[in-house]
Amino acid sequence: MVDVYISKHSNVYIRIEAEPSIRMGMSEHFARFVKGYQFQPKYKARIWDGKIRFFQYQTGLIYAGLINRLLDYCRENELSVRIDPSVKEMFRGDREERVNEYVNGLVMSAHGKPIEFRDYQKKAISICMTQKRKLIQSPTSSGKSSIIYGICRYLLDNVFDRGERILVIVPTIGLVTQLKSDFADYSSLNVWEQGRWRPRVKRNEHAPVMVSTWQGLHRLPAEFFSQFRAIITDEVHQAAANSLVSIGQKCNAEFRIGLSGSIN
């Protein structure tokens, strides 16, 4: 009998089955004080300890993206673990060789002239497509829009069926327009515009890629997000935490990718 059994709950959460004492330890370990907690009325009234808990003791749920930290915790506490195959599938994407072959052969352009992905951009795309969920640190002027374009192209050309969609979240309305312009520029020498997938970047139920700000999304119901198989968030550090968490919880996307120029 194992101490900890990990199974898939959704594309957002994994479920932990363990004795109450083990779950209590996890609840305390995966907890952080909220900024300014000491000024909150509930804390002052002593009905809240000021912490946000990423592991839910009652349900046994924890964010799937924390699985490596969870496994580290189990190793440090000498807890035996069994992982359901469905959990492994959550992190198993395409073969690296297949991704690299596609990326190397994709014709890209800037201002009408051919360009190529830089090595670190290729690596970022490959990691995201082989692992399905990843947080990529990419500083300003490093070409995050190229990485997003490469990810979208790969998914739409090689993974998704017709009608399956990608949601790209950016921090400002100006970046919605900029990304649309960048996508058109990158596609000017290839056949994406005239082919099966059209790089329409707008709030349109027929467009394979939708780009929006988190401000325009976080109040929408969960049913809205069910149409997306992939969610890509640019500049994740700029979004209000509660709003972004709300979107992430509502969107049960299989591919979950974040990019940021500043990861603390």
Side-chain angles (χ1 to χ4, degrees), residues 53-219:
R53 285 174 166 76
F54 300 101
F55 175 76
Q56 302 173 21
Y57 172 81
Q58 295 293 340
T59 63
L61 298 183
I62 188 171
Y63 290 118
L66 293 175
I67 188 169
N68 287 332
R69 295 188 183 184
L70 174 66
L71 295 176
D72 288 341
Y73 173 84
C74 291
R75 280 192 291 268
E76 291 168 3
N77 289 275
E78 299 182 345
L79 299 172
S80 59
V81 178
R82 184 158 71 92
I83 303 175
D84 189 88
S86 62
V87 175
K88 297 177 182 179
E89 284 299 319
M90 296 173 68
F91 299 89
R92 184 179 292 127
D94 226 332
R95 293 182 294 106
E96 182 178 359
E97 297 80 9
R98 186 171 182 238
V99 178
N100 290 338
E101 182 180 0
Y102 175 84
V103 171
N104 288 330
L106 181 61
V107 177
M108 282 231 307
S109 57
H111 310 296
K113 296 181 180 180
I115 61 171
E116 294 182 355
F117 288 109
R118 297 168 184 168
D119 288 342
Y120 64 85
Q121 293 170 332
K122 293 179 182 179
K123 183 177 181 181
I125 296 168
S126 179
I127 289 174
C128 291
M129 294 299 89
T130 56
Q131 298 184 18
K132 289 188 179 181
R133 52 185 71 216
K134 200 69 180 176
L135 179 60
I136 298 294
Q137 183 169 9
S138 183
T140 303
S141 301
S142 61
K144 285 197 297 295
S145 63
S146 299
I147 295 173
I148 295 172
Y149 176 79
I151 291 170
C152 290
R153 283 299 307 265
Y154 187 82
L155 289 175
L156 294 172
D157 289 347
N158 298 281
V159 181
F160 288 7
D161 294 327
R162 184 180 293 277
E164 293 184 318
R165 307 185 68 201
I166 300 169
L167 173 62
V168 181
I169 302 175
V170 295
T172 67
I173 294 176
L175 285 176
V176 173
T177 304
Q178 182 63 51
L179 196 60
K180 178 179 179 180
S181 175
D182 288 344
F183 272 30
D185 192 15
Y186 298 148
S187 301
S188 65
L189 296 183
N190 61 51
V191 297
W192 201 34
E193 268 188 299
Q194 291 77 36
R196 182 179 178 189
W197 304 105
R198 296 182 182 276
R200 291 175 290 177
V201 188
K202 56 186 177 182
R203 201 165 185 157
N204 182 315
E205 64 179 7
H206 301 297
V209 179
M210 173 182 168
V211 181
S212 182
T213 62
W214 58 265
Q215 298 97 323
L217 293 169
H218 75 278
R219 290 190 175 89

Side-chain angles (χ1 to χ4, degrees), residues 35-49:
K35 185 176 181 180
Y37 70 93
Q38 62 270 39
F39 305 112
Q40 298 292 326
K42 289 184 178 180
Y43 178 80
K44 292 181 177 180
R46 298 185 179 181
I47 58 177
W48 175 50
D49 64 359

Side-chain angles (χ1 to χ4, degrees), residues 28-41:
E28 289 304 314
H29 179 79
F30 292 99
R32 299 291 183 273
F33 281 107
V34 175
K35 185 176 181 180
Y37 70 93
Q38 62 270 39
F39 305 112
Q40 298 292 326

